Amino acid sequence: MTSQSRSLVASALAGGLLLAGVGSIPFIVGPQEAEARPAIRRDSFVAAAVKRSGPAVVTLETARTVNQSGAAGVPPALMRDPLFRHFFGIPRSTAPRAKVQRGQGSGVIFDARGLLLTNAHVVEGADQLTVGLSDGRRVPARVVGKDSLTDLAVVRLEGAGPWPVADLGDSDRLSVGDWAIAVGNPFGLESTVTLGIISNLNRNVAQLGISGKRLDLIQTDAAINPGNSGGPLLNADGEVIGINTLVRSGPGAGLGFAIPSNRARAIAEQLVTLGKARHPVIGIRLSPVPRPTPTSQVPAGAVIRSVQPGGPADRAGLKVDDVITSFDGKTVADPAAVVSAIDRRGVGATVVLGVRRGEDQVMIEVKPVDLSALTSS
């Protein structure tokens, strides 16, 4: 190789221009190219969201005393029968024995005064209530108020604080597909975080086969397990957008549900100020508009199946088989939409229902009352 050739090869090697396989000289990457590679980002929006609200997520430990008879499962009337006791050799003295049942759930502190939200079923019947904070503190607490219809309860921490607080977000701004982060203590495993998306909004509990509740729930595929009840569902910014309440088991397992934060906020305010929640009703039972055939087009609305005598609907002139088609001028799709609209307007506010009665369309004004007033009358 001539001196000129050797000079050309040296120049090519220095510039990293020769490819492997050309002669016996390997491919060389220049230092400028190596420095141009982008750095791998390792930060997570989930970690940032949990850091913002995670300290306000707590564990609730409950204790309740139950009386257990010496012959569990035997009807009291039989236990009072001397022949029955003699035949089975049951002694006369069968005084109930006290037994302490313990439970656990989750909650989230939403007010600097030491107020936290959880599920009503978590604290139901509790004689003692202890709250465990993420910093290791264990604080006694008491129930301020609970509402079984929405499965919400407010608990007050007994102490001076200071307390970590999570921000309640606006659940009305949620969209299907938004990120959802569930935080809680499933199976007693503290500070567990799961990630998913919001898979449905305004899921009525009646669709889940649950009766006796008035809830439109957020549906998510973020894992919610026993013990998560009462813990928060967060958005990507770390705001509380829901209170976890139940998980679907059996067919359709893997779906979790949460009470929207706006509903939780409204119920919490009533529980703190009044000690109870008010639920507006007009005294009717509704069902969907039936479809004669699978392909037929039936107008949206809700059919009145019964009217409570003396209730607001009865006094306003609503009748069985009337079809409610609108609420304050807005079309309603089904019974759940009617109930939700009445709930949002509140007790004592006059509402205008558009009603189809046979071939006629009439407008009827109704003033909802509190459920407790209707049931006590």
Side-chain angles (χ1 to χ4, degrees), residues 18 27 100 103 126 183 205 280 282 295 325 347:
L18 295 183
F27 174 66
V100 176
V183 186
V205 291
I282 61 174
T295 58
T325 58
V347 175

Side-chain angles (χ1 to χ4, degrees), residues 214 279-286 303-320 322 324 338-339 342-343 351 353 366-375 377:
R214 296 187 68 172
H279 297 284
V281 294
I282 61 174
I284 55 176
R285 183 173 63 85
L286 301 171
V303 183
I304 297 177
R305 294 305 184 190
S306 65
V307 179
Q308 184 163 343
D314 184 33
R315 295 194 300 269
L318 288 168
K319 302 179 183 299
V320 173
D322 283 352
I324 299 176
V338 176
V339 173
I342 293 173
D343 233 11
V351 300
L353 301 179
V366 189
K367 183 177 292 187
V369 298
D370 185 34
L371 176 64
S372 60
L374 194 62
T375 54
S377 60

Side-chain angles (χ1 to χ4, degrees), residues 14 19 30 77 89 128 155 164 268 280 286 295 316 330 332-333 348 354 364 371:
L19 298 174
Q128 296 180 0
V155 171
L286 301 171
T295 58
K330 296 182 179 179
V332 289
I364 296 179
L371 176 64

Side-chain angles (χ1 to χ4, degrees), residues 132-138:
L133 280 76
S134 59
D135 59 10
R137 284 181 289 173
R138 288 173 54 81

Side-chain angles (χ1 to χ4, degrees), residues 96-307:
R97 295 173 298 181
K99 180 182 179 182
V100 176
Q101 290 182 344
R102 301 190 182 278
Q104 193 175 77
S106 303
V108 59
I109 303 173
F110 69 97
D111 189 288
R113 294 173 293 175
L115 299 176
L116 65 90
L117 272 164
T118 187
N119 288 149
H121 74 259
V122 170
V123 299
E124 186 68 41
D127 301 318
Q128 296 180 0
L129 189 58
T130 304
V131 174
L133 280 76
S134 59
D135 59 10
R137 284 181 289 173
R138 288 173 54 81
V139 183
R142 63 179 178 85
V143 177
V144 174
K146 61 181 184 293
D147 180 51
S148 59
L149 278 180
T150 56
D151 196 26
L152 284 167
V154 174
V155 171
R156 184 187 296 274
L157 298 172
E158 301 286 2
W163 313 114
V165 176
D167 294 327
L168 296 180
D170 184 357
S171 55
D172 288 341
R173 299 179 62 183
L174 296 176
S175 300
V176 172
D178 285 350
W179 289 112
I181 306 165
V183 186
N185 309 291
F187 306 111
L189 303 174
E190 296 182 358
S191 304
T192 296
V193 178
T194 55
L195 175 66
I197 63 168
I198 292 172
S199 48
N200 194 278
L201 295 168
N202 303 317
R203 180 71 75 194
N204 191 271
V205 291
Q207 297 174 280
L208 306 174
I210 299 173
S211 59
K213 303 290 182 185
R214 296 187 68 172
L215 289 172
D216 290 321
L217 301 173
I218 299 168
Q219 179 181 312
T220 178
D221 63 353
I224 297 175
N225 293 294
N228 267 119
S229 292
L233 189 70
L234 307 178
N235 61 15
D237 295 323
E239 298 172 326
V240 178
I241 53 171
I243 302 298
N244 301 326
T245 185
L246 58 91
V247 61
R248 176 87 179 196
S249 59
L255 299 178
F257 300 90
I259 304 162
S261 58
N262 286 359
R263 185 70 185 278
R265 181 189 289 107
I267 295 297
E269 289 174 355
Q270 294 181 47
L271 292 177
V272 171
T273 57
L274 304 175
K276 66 175 184 177
R278 305 179 75 192
H279 297 284
V281 294
I282 61 174
I284 55 176
R285 183 173 63 85
L286 301 171
S287 70
V289 176
R291 293 182 180 275
T293 64
T295 58
S296 64
Q297 297 295 320
V298 178
V303 183
I304 297 177
R305 294 305 184 190
S306 65
V307 179

